[in-house]
Amino acid sequence: MLFRNRFLLLLVLAALLAFLSISLQFFHLTPVTPVKNGMNGKNRKRIMPDPLTEPPVVDPIHEARIYCNIPSITEHSAEGHAPYYFKLVSVHVLIRHGDRYPLYAIPKTKRPEIDCTLVAHRKPNHPKLEAFINHMSKASEVLMEGTLSTLPLYPSHSLCEMGELTQTGVVQHLKNGQLLRDIYLKKHKLLPKDWTTKHLYLETTGKSRTLQSGLALLYSLLPDFDWKKINFRHQWSTIFCSGSCDCPMRNQYLEKEQRRQYLLRVKNSQLENTYVEMAKIVGIPTRQLRAANPIDSLLCHFCHNVSFPCTKNGCIDLEHFKVIKTHQIEDERERRERKLYFKYALLASHPVLNQTVNRMLRIAEGKKEEIFVLYSAHDVTLSPVLSALGITEARFPRFAARLVFELWQDGERPTDHFIRILYNGVDVTFHTSFCQEHHKHSSKPMCPLEDFVHFVKRDMFSVLNSSSYYDACHRKTF
């Protein structure tokens, strides 16, 4: 009897708790997160990593590790996600080259000893690394434009040359290619089985590190890497402006931005004292050390876990590194606030964005050519594109960064096309200036193609009080 009474009491309490829970949710006294298309709206938009893994304040060491992009770290990707009735019809990928040897050397110090030969079983490695080495070393039918044909297809020096791609850089893009292959080719069948060179558009600057990065990504991406189907075009401009590079105002905005950078640096007494200390260690004038851009070399030491340089006067240490890196972070913050770089970015990125839009429009009309596009580029290529798109929370392009534009066809309304934009695997579509509000009044987890077209063809010039690229480039505002 006692057991029965206790059982009935528990049933009554359970019913009461259930009623209270439903009532609280009904009256919105407890938060209920809506889910659309199986995706949490806020999570879909997040640019920054999960807050649980982020330090409470900006940490220069944490930021440097992200910049290094160590290949052993597992990365989650949101590429290729869409409702089942959407069809993927085109993908444009803009990458920064992978990890490289420094472009600058700190005078009177020993260069970091990094081996740029590729060794299949040395870390970091990749399942396709050995096959990549063999394939690149036996290339006989390479189709390359102009000076690209004179560049090495893979790094091979026992002591890296300045700016040379490292094994880490190769592996970073083998990983990128494998990830994109699993999503775009295996899952979405983007390329037909009988694909030819006309289905690809490949472009790179005339640096070995960008060419080799592009080749590593393609080797891991394509089901059959055939040299007869690989035709890289040479882009002489780091901003990929092609035939639209004449833009005087772009250069003036860049000069103003460089002046801002200089003024911020001279105001930073801690940074100046750090340069003075480092110059004494090295035994050269402070101005000469600063001109040698020491952070470029120090980042190589940091990313490869090599001790910082030492001389008879002492050692450059982690505290010196942290001061310079902290200043870089502060510079990026002020750059966003002052908007000079943003105006430069609009003019610098318009040509490549315009090419992307025009290609998407042709594909939306039914063309089946150049459905996969790869631009192999630099940080100075990606950074203005991110800024022009309005993706202000994005970090400075790390090694092997990737920016992806996906074009989708609505299966329920085949004439309608939408885009998604992803940065390092994170969906940033609704962080763009032209599509920030769209998700509030639409259930589609992407942006209408026409919004992107209007932005590139018209709206991006309104900030510059112009109506066209030519007018914005030649209207004097200073």
Side-chain angles (χ1 to χ4, degrees):
M1 189 65 158
L2 180 61
F3 174 79
R4 182 181 178 185
N5 290 340
R6 287 181 177 175
F7 180 72
L8 290 172
L9 179 61
L10 288 173
L11 283 177
V12 172
L13 288 173
L16 180 61
L17 288 172
F19 174 77
L20 286 172
S21 175
I22 293 172
S23 300
L24 287 170
Q25 290 188 21
F26 180 79
F27 288 110
H28 303 286
L29 297 177
T30 59
V32 180
T33 304
V35 176
K36 295 181 180 180
N37 300 314
M39 299 174 68
N40 180 298
K42 291 184 178 179
N43 288 340
R44 185 180 67 230
K45 293 170 55 183
R46 179 178 292 143
I47 291 178
M48 306 297 283
D50 192 305
L52 294 177
T53 64
E54 287 284 298
V57 295
V58 175
D59 179 0
I61 299 302
H62 178 77
E63 295 297 317
R65 289 196 183 103
I66 291 175
Y67 178 85
C68 295
N69 188 18
I70 306 302
S72 60
I73 298 175
T74 303
E75 184 175 72
H76 300 286
S77 166
E79 278 107 337
H81 289 187
Y84 69 93
Y85 53 88
F86 275 82
K87 179 183 178 182
L88 182 68
V89 292
S90 177
V91 171
H92 292 66
V93 183
L94 175 60
I95 61 170
R96 184 191 178 190
H97 59 75
D99 177 83
R100 59 155 172 78
Y101 200 69
L103 297 171
Y104 302 88
I106 300 177
K108 297 188 177 182
T109 64
K110 187 178 180 181
R111 290 172 55 190
E113 294 184 358
I114 309 296
D115 186 350
C116 274
T117 56
L118 300 183
V119 180
H121 303 294
R122 183 181 69 203
K123 292 184 179 181
N125 52 38
H126 187 275
K128 290 193 173 184
L129 179 58
E130 186 171 11
F132 172 77
I133 299 169
N134 292 334
H135 207 98
M136 294 301 114
S137 63
K138 297 175 183 177
S140 58
E141 298 175 312
V142 182
L143 297 175
M144 299 286 178
E145 278 190 357
T147 58
L148 296 182
S149 60
T150 65
L151 297 178
L153 302 179
Y154 61 101
S156 60
H157 296 96
S158 56
L159 177 60
C160 297
E161 295 188 342
M162 306 302 282
E164 186 173 11
L165 197 69
T166 66
Q167 176 158 321
T168 299
V170 171
V171 170
Q172 287 167 337
H173 278 301
L174 288 173
K175 280 188 63 177
N176 275 341
Q178 184 67 53
L179 184 149
L180 299 182
R181 177 181 181 176
D182 291 342
I183 296 169
Y184 294 138
L185 271 59
K186 291 185 177 180
K187 180 179 178 181
H188 289 287
K189 315 295 182 187
L190 178 66
L191 293 178
K193 291 183 179 180
D194 58 346
W195 67 275
T196 67
T197 186
K198 74 176 183 178
H199 294 108
L200 308 179
Y201 182 86
L202 313 174
E203 195 167 349
T204 179
T205 60
K207 300 294 183 181
S208 62
R209 59 184 177 275
T210 52
L211 174 62
Q212 293 165 7
S213 293
L215 288 172
L217 187 149
L218 286 173
Y219 187 81
S220 200
L221 168 81
L222 298 173
D224 176 25
F225 188 94
D226 185 346
W227 281 115
K228 295 178 182 179
K229 301 179 182 180
I230 307 300
N231 182 16
F232 261 106
R233 293 166 174 82
H234 177 217
Q235 174 55 247
W236 67 270
S237 166
T238 56
I239 58 172
F240 284 67
C241 54
S242 300
S244 303
C245 295
D246 179 25
C247 188
M249 285 306 301
R250 180 193 67 227
N251 300 333
Q252 289 194 38
Y253 283 123
L254 182 58
E255 289 172 5
K256 292 282 187 180
E257 165 61 16
Q258 291 169 341
R259 177 67 178 172
R260 179 205 62 78
Q261 293 177 359
Y262 169 77
L263 293 175
L264 181 66
R265 176 173 60 79
V266 297
K267 288 193 304 183
N268 190 332
S269 58
Q270 185 182 24
L271 178 67
E272 184 62 24
N273 292 336
T274 298
Y275 275 125
V276 170
E277 289 179 13
M278 292 169 60
K280 288 180 180 178
I281 291 171
V282 177
I284 61 175
T286 305
R287 180 179 296 180
Q288 184 182 350
L289 175 69
R290 194 183 294 115
N293 193 15
I295 189 63
D296 186 55
S297 180
L298 295 180
L299 277 166
C300 180
H301 286 81
F302 181 86
C303 293
H304 289 266
N305 198 27
V306 176
S307 299
F308 291 139
C310 290
T311 71
K312 62 181 182 180
N313 300 322
C315 295
I316 296 174
D317 60 31
L318 192 62
E319 292 306 310
H320 297 127
F321 176 79
K322 287 167 67 175
V323 170
I324 303 176
K325 187 63 185 171
T326 299
H327 174 75
Q328 281 192 327
I329 297 169
E330 173 63 17
D331 179 69
E332 290 174 26
R333 182 194 62 77
E334 185 181 275
R335 185 182 72 179
R336 290 192 295 267
E337 293 175 354
R338 294 285 297 276
K339 297 289 187 180
L340 285 171
Y341 183 82
F342 173 62
K343 293 179 179 179
Y344 158 78
L346 290 171
L347 297 176
S349 64
H350 177 262
V352 71
L353 289 176
N354 194 47
Q355 292 173 36
T356 301
V357 160
N358 290 338
R359 193 174 283 111
M360 286 183 170
L361 288 173
R362 290 195 296 270
I363 292 170
E365 292 170 356
K367 299 292 191 299
K368 300 297 183 182
E369 297 180 359
E370 298 180 353
I371 55 180
F372 181 85
V373 177
L374 175 65
Y375 295 111
S376 188
H378 306 263
D379 53 357
V380 293
T381 319
L382 266 75
S383 190
V385 173
L386 292 167
S387 180
L389 292 174
I391 308 173
T392 56
E393 295 179 46
R395 283 183 165 96
F396 186 80
R398 68 190 189 188
F399 285 132
R402 66 182 187 276
L403 180 64
V404 177
F405 298 80
E406 298 175 347
L407 179 63
W408 296 82
Q409 181 182 40
D410 189 338
E412 296 178 343
R413 300 183 61 180
T415 58
D416 291 351
H417 289 78
F418 295 81
I419 66 164
R420 292 177 74 232
I421 301 176
L422 303 104
Y423 183 49
N424 295 329
V426 179
D427 188 342
V428 296
T429 307
F430 298 123
H431 280 264
T432 59
S433 57
F434 58 89
C435 214
Q436 284 181 342
E437 304 298 319
H438 178 74
H439 71 288
K440 295 180 180 178
H441 51 79
S442 173
S443 61
K444 308 286 187 183
M446 51 189 79
C447 189
L449 174 60
E450 54 263 31
D451 287 12
F452 186 36
V453 173
H454 290 160
F455 169 74
V456 173
K457 299 290 186 180
R458 183 191 63 202
D459 297 344
M460 67 188 301
F461 306 118
S462 61
V463 175
L464 305 170
N465 296 318
S466 299
S467 58
S468 69
Y469 176 66
Y470 181 86
D471 183 57
C473 283
H474 294 84
R475 179 193 293 269
K476 294 185 178 181
T477 58
F478 297 120

